[in-house]
Amino acid sequence: MSNLSEEEKQKHLQSWGNWMRGLSDKGQFLGGEPLGKEARVIKGNKKIVTDGPYAESKEMIGGYLIIKAGDINEATEISKGCPIFETNGITEVREIHHMEF
Amino acid sequence: MSGFTGNADLMVDHLFRHESGRMVSALTRIFGLSHIEIAEDIVQDTFLKALKDWRFNNIPPNPQAWLYKAAKNKTIDYLRHQKHVHDFETESGSLIKSEWTMFAEINNVFSDKEINDNQLRMIFASCNPLLPMESRIAFTLKTLCGFNAREIAKALLTTEVNINKRLTRAKQKLRDNHLKFDIPQGEELEARIESVYRVLYLLFNEGYSAAEAESFIRKDVCAEAIRLTEILSENAIGNKPKTFALLALMCFQAARLDARIDDKGYIILLKKQNRSLWNKTLIARGLEYLSKSAQGDELSEYHIEAAIASYHSSSASFGETNWAEILNLYDILIKIKPSPVTILNRSIVIAELKSIKEALNEIKDIKELDQYYLFHATLGEFYTRLNRISDAKEQYKKALKLISSPAEKNLIKQKLLKI
């Protein structure tokens, strides 16, 4: 994102807006939030705190979206429309798991 | 730019009248009709903030943009606190729950493209037939025209308590019926648009006839009726000859507002009005709308009433009025809207064109108008001109008993004195 020109940035933001509005219109957008860069990871029974899982790498989780899809394959297809790929990003698709008691 | 100096209070008052309707309508897209009071609270808070801020700093160069930005920020604050508590069942519903989309959605409903559309939705919501007619008018003045309960009470000649009751009832109806903030479609649209015409017409008439309301309130009500009708005419849904006919009628009538009431708030009848006080710009606009209305094959009551008003507006003096054409128009109007009031108005034309006797014959047996003061006032006038003094007095006295407005009472008293 940071190496885009102002005009390219606006265009990119526009595609995010359009994509999400499209999901919302189809009833596929259920929620989600962008996440901050700073993170803490708390590990093990000693509860050791470190600066996030990706402190050493350039990767980070920019946020999450909850979408509605028939199965993981449909969700994957929806995910391919995400404008994050315009900036060479990554998405990971997972199902919300139903807990059974 | 340092912005405008000047009276912040006056500026805020002026902007409230012009912007609050737009802002409440935009925010109702977010919160829905069931939660319209949230939209109203946010708008109210925004104007309070403006008042505080502008009294100490200067008025910003673009006050409208300032207000919209402040309202958007207040909305975001509200949503951040409430999004895990409330579900708003609107089109914006999921978009306003996420930081990903919240900003964009709020900007969207405040965009130039949406502002008129939002107001049109509000016009249609205000005119929902589920609301009693008197609530529709009060609700329109409150929600779209930025009138407070005190001003509405003045414009509609009733008490503030009454107005608050009507507004509460309207909101309750909207909530109980889970009404969507949408423009209806198909057959429902056909019916609703008739209610919209009716409400706009009555709204205008309230402004036109509330003689003893302060003159700025009367003018504001008329101007708002015209503004809302213009919003309707600019949208594909309302871009119809009938809308233009209603607009033409409003412009012709509004042109005479200044000449109709004297300094003391007394009514001056058409015959005695100083025609040089008639607003020529409004008459020209009326003529433009009238020509736009002359399309298609529907001839509505608004077409005829506008045409009648145009004959009066374009006549240099009362003596030169084209009564023959006006009578033709009344003959058509009676077929479209056969009401005793139309017959009464037509009789006045007959009195001018033919004879008082013929005019009297047209109306003297109408029973339905016994409680209508203008019926007795007209009879009083006819009897006076026929020199039947005791009959005239009796009619004027009946009229006086039915009038609540001091300006109109005064007019009848003057007539009684002159017999």
Side-chain angles (χ1 to χ4, degrees):
Chain A
M1 259 306 262
S2 52
N3 50 9
L4 297 180
S5 74
E6 196 49 45
E7 196 180 323
E8 287 169 324
K9 246 185 225 169
Q10 282 307 318
K11 224 182 131 198
H12 185 58
L13 281 176
Q14 187 83 46
S15 10
W16 273 100
N18 291 344
W19 183 59
M20 293 223 189
R21 175 166 293 277
L23 291 181
S24 170
D25 288 347
K26 281 179 268 180
Q28 293 171 331
F29 178 60
L30 300 185
E33 301 290 356
L35 299 173
K37 281 183 184 163
E38 202 178 314
R40 299 280 187 276
V41 170
I42 302 102
K43 239 184 214 167
N45 53 9
K46 286 189 176 158
K47 299 177 186 170
I48 295 165
V49 177
T50 56
D51 283 352
Y54 311 115
E56 309 305 321
S57 81
K58 287 177 185 164
E59 286 176 13
M60 53 160 260
I61 297 175
Y64 68 95
L65 287 179
I66 303 171
I67 60 171
K68 191 176 178 180
D71 55 28
I72 195 163
N73 295 324
E74 193 193 336
T76 307
E77 286 312 307
I78 292 171
S79 170
K80 283 180 183 171
C82 179
I84 201 166
F85 300 114
E86 288 177 10
T87 50
N88 215 17
I90 299 170
T91 65
E92 178 179 329
V93 180
R94 296 213 202 171
E95 236 175 301
I96 291 179
H97 205 71
H98 293 269
M99 298 288 282
E100 278 169 35
F101 295 95
Chain B
M1 246 174 102
S2 64
F4 302 109
T5 49
N7 189 324
D9 295 49
L10 276 179
M11 188 64 166
V12 167
D13 268 358
H14 170 81
L15 283 167
F16 191 80
R17 184 61 48 88
H18 289 89
E19 294 297 340
S20 68
R22 295 191 173 99
M23 292 160 73
V24 169
S25 301
L27 290 174
T28 302
R29 291 279 296 277
I30 303 275
F31 298 112
L33 279 172
S34 303
H35 297 286
I36 192 169
E37 69 287 345
I38 301 174
E40 287 177 339
D41 286 349
I42 288 178
V43 171
Q44 195 80 40
D45 282 356
T46 304
F47 276 92
L48 282 175
K49 183 175 151 63
L51 198 57
K52 277 188 204 154
D53 196 282
W54 300 355
R55 273 180 187 162
F56 293 101
N57 306 308
N58 286 339
I59 298 170
N62 186 344
Q64 185 205 50
W66 190 102
L67 287 169
Y68 287 12
K69 189 156 180 256
K72 288 179 196 174
N73 286 337
K74 282 188 184 295
T75 307
I76 285 163
D77 283 349
Y78 182 88
L79 286 172
R80 281 185 180 148
H81 283 107
Q82 295 292 322
K83 66 177 174 177
H84 298 298
V85 183
H86 263 311
D87 258 329
F88 298 107
E89 289 166 8
T90 58
E91 281 171 48
S92 303
S94 56
L95 293 170
I96 54 168
K97 286 193 98 164
S98 165
E99 292 284 341
W100 289 114
T101 43
M102 190 192 275
F103 268 93
E105 181 57 10
I106 293 168
N107 275 327
N108 174 49
V109 298
F110 272 96
S111 67
D112 292 344
K113 190 174 135 294
E114 298 294 324
I115 277 287
N116 272 358
D117 185 50
N118 300 335
Q119 290 182 96
L120 196 64
R121 288 174 194 231
M122 193 60 93
I123 294 172
F124 277 86
S126 309
C127 298
N128 195 307
L130 285 170
L131 313 181
M133 187 51 97
E134 50 181 25
S135 290
R136 287 182 224 173
I137 294 174
F139 190 75
T140 302
L141 281 169
K142 174 79 170 34
T143 316
L144 281 149
C145 314
F147 279 58
N148 61 33
R150 189 178 48 80
E151 291 169 323
I152 302 173
K154 277 191 177 177
L156 303 187
L157 308 180
T158 177
T159 61
E160 218 173 311
V161 176
N162 248 331
I163 294 300
N164 280 324
K165 267 187 210 155
R166 289 181 202 178
L167 293 172
T168 311
R169 220 174 293 145
K171 283 182 195 166
Q172 190 67 42
K173 280 272 183 207
L174 297 175
R175 244 194 323 272
D176 290 351
N177 293 284
H178 301 282
L179 295 175
K180 289 239 184 307
F181 193 45
D182 279 336
I183 292 165
Q185 294 181 336
E187 271 176 39
E188 205 192 335
L189 174 64
E190 293 302 312
R192 184 77 59 86
I193 204 165
E194 289 306 318
S195 162
V196 170
Y197 287 135
R198 196 83 208 127
V199 169
L200 293 170
Y201 178 81
L202 290 175
L203 184 64
F204 183 88
N205 278 342
E206 293 296 348
Y208 186 71
S209 53
E212 61 284 348
E214 287 158 57
S215 94
F216 73 91
I217 287 196
R218 281 189 289 118
K219 277 193 203 168
D220 268 6
V221 173
C222 291
E224 283 297 310
I226 294 177
R227 181 179 74 85
L228 297 179
T229 314
E230 279 176 335
I231 290 176
L232 180 66
S233 77
E234 284 157 12
N235 188 285
I237 285 173
N239 191 305
K240 290 177 165 188
K242 199 167 176 177
T243 315
F244 293 116
L246 180 56
L247 270 173
L249 173 61
M250 288 176 175
C251 288
F252 289 133
Q253 303 289 72
R256 297 203 293 267
L257 273 176
D258 282 332
R260 204 174 157 263
I261 311 281
D262 72 10
D263 306 341
K264 293 181 191 116
Y266 295 149
I267 297 167
I268 307 172
L269 293 176
L270 186 63
K271 198 172 185 171
K272 303 225 169 104
Q273 284 173 19
N274 176 356
R275 296 188 179 217
S276 69
L277 291 178
W278 290 1
N279 184 322
K280 295 185 183 57
T281 317
L282 276 171
I283 294 176
R285 265 169 77 193
L287 287 169
E288 216 172 285
Y289 284 132
L290 191 64
S291 74
K292 275 191 173 176
S293 78
Q295 291 166 29
D297 46 18
E298 189 189 7
L299 192 60
S300 67
E301 60 198 86
Y302 306 120
H303 280 93
I304 309 296
E305 289 186 35
I308 293 170
S310 86
Y311 275 111
H312 286 301
S313 299
S314 55
S315 172
S317 68
F318 187 78
E320 288 163 76
T321 308
N322 191 341
W323 294 111
E325 273 308 320
I326 293 179
L327 184 59
N328 282 338
L329 289 165
Y330 269 110
D331 289 343
I332 304 171
L333 188 59
I334 273 192
K335 281 181 200 137
I336 302 178
K337 191 168 91 170
S339 80
V341 174
T342 313
I343 296 172
L344 178 68
N345 288 332
R346 183 172 165 272
S347 77
I348 296 167
V349 180
I350 292 174
E352 294 298 335
L353 190 65
K354 298 177 181 171
S355 71
I356 306 284
K357 261 197 176 139
E358 278 174 78
L360 191 59
N361 278 335
E362 295 279 333
I363 59 167
K364 65 177 182 349
D365 297 325
I366 304 179
K367 297 278 179 294
E368 297 95 318
L369 293 180
D370 201 48
Q371 297 301 311
Y372 186 52
Y373 82 92
L374 279 175
F375 173 64
H376 298 292
T378 307
L379 281 175
E381 171 85 21
F382 288 169
Y383 286 135
T384 309
R385 281 159 82 176
L386 288 170
N387 230 354
R388 287 168 60 177
I389 304 303
S390 66
D391 289 333
K393 279 187 178 165
E394 191 194 326
Q395 291 301 331
Y396 279 138
K397 280 176 189 160
K398 275 189 186 167
L400 271 179
K401 275 190 195 143
L402 295 168
I403 304 175
S404 55
S405 132
E408 281 159 349
K409 257 196 178 125
N410 184 275
L411 186 73
I412 302 293
K413 280 183 188 157
Q414 293 297 324
K415 293 205 171 219
L416 260 172
L417 282 176
K418 279 182 199 154
I419 293 179

